[in-house]
Amino acid sequence: MHETAYEITTLTPQQPTTHPAMLPTEIPPGVQMVTLPGGIRTLAYTPTQAPPAPPVPVSQPIPTWAKTTALLTPTIGGGVAAAGIGLSYAAPGLIAMSEALWAAVALIAAAAIGVPALLRFGRSVAGPGRGTTHITQNITASGMFGKANGTINHR
């Protein structure tokens, strides 16, 4: 047993009690009703148990996908920045190129409409006495890879 520097004294049955017993709700925190080995009940301070230590956090390894993403982020950002700078330098040329493409489209449309009109106009100016020329072409070949022979007839 532990030897203590204090002595617990309690009321013995021979001594009359002068104060009434305490209700359980009146007992202050840290104090409990205890029964001593001799059967006597008394109030005593009880040692409070230390709260359990919080669990020690275990460090988790960083997932591979997170490492890869973290390493690729500056690369992708740099690529986007370089593309933006390149587009800012290329913008005047792209604008000029789009205007040139629209001009080419207009030229193709004008040629598609104008060339047949010029051909009709040229035939009508040549005069009504001139007829049209018919060309007949006959081609013959023997076998799949045989030499082809042909004749052209003008009328």
Side-chain angles (χ1 to χ4, degrees):
M1 278 199 96
H2 298 286
E3 291 193 25
T4 58
Y6 54 89
E7 183 179 331
I8 299 175
T9 58
T10 59
L11 294 176
T12 58
Q14 294 86 14
Q15 298 173 336
T17 58
T18 56
H19 54 36
M22 292 178 72
L23 296 172
T25 57
E26 296 175 340
I27 298 175
V31 176
Q32 290 184 347
M33 181 68 74
V34 295
T35 305
L36 297 175
I40 300 170
R41 295 186 69 203
T42 186
L43 294 174
Y45 287 103
T46 56
T48 57
Q49 294 182 358
V56 177
V58 178
S59 64
Q60 299 285 333
I62 297 173
T64 305
W65 66 266
K67 290 179 184 178
T68 305
T69 303
L71 291 172
L72 285 177
T73 301
T75 305
I76 293 170
V80 169
I85 292 170
L87 283 175
S88 70
Y89 283 125
L94 292 174
I95 292 170
M97 191 182 306
S98 70
E99 291 175 2
L101 286 174
W102 279 114
V105 167
L107 181 66
I108 291 170
I113 295 171
V115 169
L118 279 176
L119 289 176
R120 280 192 202 126
F121 179 72
R123 286 182 189 159
S124 65
V125 171
R130 224 175 139 214
T132 58
T133 305
H134 294 283
I135 299 174
T136 307
Q137 186 174 10
N138 296 319
I139 299 174
T140 57
S142 60
M144 180 181 276
F145 297 107
K147 186 177 178 183
N149 295 319
T151 59
I152 299 175
N153 299 319
H154 293 276
R155 292 186 202 174

